Amino acid sequence: MKPKTFHGIYPSTVLPMRGDYSVDWESYARHTAHCVLRDGMAGVLINGHAGENYVMTRAEKKRAVEVSVATVGASRLVVAGVNAESSLEAAEEARDAKAAGADAVMVFLPNSFALAHTTAMSMLHHRAVADAVPDLPMFLFQAHHAAGRMAFTAETLDALLDIPEVVGIKEGGWEVDSYDDVRRRVRAKRPDVAVCASGDEHLFACYVHGSDGSLVSLADILPDEIVALDAAVRANDLPAARALHEKLEPLAEAIYGAPPGGRATARLKFCLREMGVIPDATVRLPQPPVDAAEVAMLRAALRASGL
């Protein structure tokens, strides 16, 4: 690998389903091609939160890797999310992802870590995955600032950077100042690791601070605009970047910012169905579909963003 192999923009895809909650693999392939096979895209993040990884079976997660690899071929990187409460199960998911052709994995912390979690626990979890798939590159996931005690402390992040397989961080802390703190800490210890701004509502601000890319589900809907925003900031063309931010922000706020929290996937699927990208907006239980108020909000945001 070259030092910047994993830098760049990655849409974080949803997993289209039918009304009976079964996966629509043909729609998944079309959705993936629609947002990933474009100029400026480095690859795709699959089996993330947007992809409902917390309610997918292990077999479905492996199949998602296979379909993604078949869809994007060797032209893009495939990063597969690994999300399990058990470190042993996470290790098996990583083995499945590697066998199916993933270029890297992204390790999510067990949700139980939101109650209490130590550096030792994080190290055990990530090392279990790394040991299961020797030499497979690994992304870390920095959790939302409101996710209890799940976000990495400075001590934990420092320890995780000692894992040689770590090549990137999806910085999903959703707070610009803490994002910049993570970016600086990583630069000081592991400048080769890609720190990717992934708070959809404030990509502009994070890009201005400095970013090596993004792994974001907003790129499912506005892929070219996300790429253009990143390019405009890198070119120091702030007027162009601000104009793109104004186009992105209505949808970002409607999908991710409007209460209640945890509704992004249902809202993303609704928007993609409205756009004709996927045929069905079904989300798997226990998430409900969008309600009437969300429908009105999202349709207004789609119009405001030019869609």
Side-chain angles (χ1 to χ4, degrees):
M1 292 186 300
K2 296 178 181 178
K4 295 187 177 181
T5 297
F6 288 94
H7 292 212
I9 309 297
Y10 300 70
S12 179
T13 49
V14 302
L15 188 65
M17 297 178 188
R18 303 181 182 88
D20 62 359
Y21 306 109
S22 63
V23 179
D24 184 345
W25 293 113
E26 290 184 1
S27 293
Y28 178 65
R30 288 195 299 271
H31 161 52
T32 301
H34 172 263
C35 60
V36 179
L37 296 180
R38 294 171 178 268
D39 290 344
M41 289 300 180
V44 59
L45 169 62
I46 68 171
N47 299 345
H49 287 148
E52 296 174 81
N53 60 12
Y54 44 92
V55 291
M56 291 173 66
T57 68
R58 183 175 152 193
E60 287 170 336
K61 291 177 184 179
K62 183 176 183 181
R63 181 62 180 151
V65 179
E66 293 169 343
V67 174
S68 300
V69 170
T71 300
V72 305
S75 67
R76 304 291 192 279
L77 297 166
V78 174
V79 180
V82 169
N83 188 0
E85 293 302 296
S86 162
S87 299
L88 301 180
E89 181 69 15
E92 292 302 319
E93 283 190 16
R95 289 191 181 99
D96 289 344
K98 183 176 182 178
D103 297 289
V105 291
M106 174 178 290
V107 181
F108 293 85
L109 288 179
N111 290 319
S112 59
F113 280 27
L115 299 175
H117 123 241
T118 65
T119 297
M121 291 165 68
S122 279
M123 287 298 293
L124 283 169
H125 190 71
H126 287 85
R127 275 260 53 109
V129 173
D131 291 345
V133 284
D135 301 323
L136 187 67
M138 175 191 295
F139 277 76
L140 307 176
F141 177 74
Q142 172 70 313
H144 195 288
H145 67 86
R149 300 184 181 180
M150 194 177 290
F152 302 134
T153 64
E155 175 192 11
T156 299
L157 179 62
D158 185 67
L160 290 170
L161 291 173
D162 287 331
I163 299 175
E165 289 84 0
V166 172
V167 297
I169 300 174
K170 176 178 164 70
E171 212 297 328
W174 237 267
E175 204 285 316
V176 175
D177 189 52
S178 62
Y179 163 78
D180 197 44
D181 181 63
V182 168
R183 185 184 68 86
R184 291 174 184 277
R185 290 179 183 279
V186 175
R187 285 289 174 275
K189 182 165 183 173
R190 287 281 306 276
D192 58 301
V193 170
V195 179
C196 298
S198 299
D200 305 70
E201 296 158 81
H202 47 254
L203 288 176
F204 177 39
C206 289
Y207 285 174
V208 171
H209 276 288
S211 178
D212 299 315
S214 287
L215 303 102
V216 288
S217 51
L218 190 59
D220 295 0
I221 297 175
L222 291 159
D224 295 333
E225 287 81 358
I226 297 285
V227 169
L229 176 65
D230 178 70
V233 174
R234 291 180 190 280
N236 205 29
D237 187 350
L238 292 186
R242 287 193 187 95
L244 287 159
H245 173 70
E246 291 302 319
K247 181 172 184 177
L248 292 163
E249 195 64 7
L251 269 174
E253 289 293 339
I255 292 170
Y256 309 97
R263 296 290 291 147
T265 299
R267 294 168 179 176
L268 282 164
K269 283 187 168 183
F270 174 81
C271 291
L272 289 166
R273 188 188 67 185
E274 289 285 284
M275 294 166 62
V277 177
I278 64 175
D280 196 307
T282 294
V283 285
R284 201 169 270 181
L285 302 176
Q287 280 288 340
V290 294
D291 60 25
E294 288 176 304
V295 167
M297 173 185 68
L298 291 167
R299 285 180 172 158
L302 284 165
R303 289 192 292 270
S305 290
L307 297 175

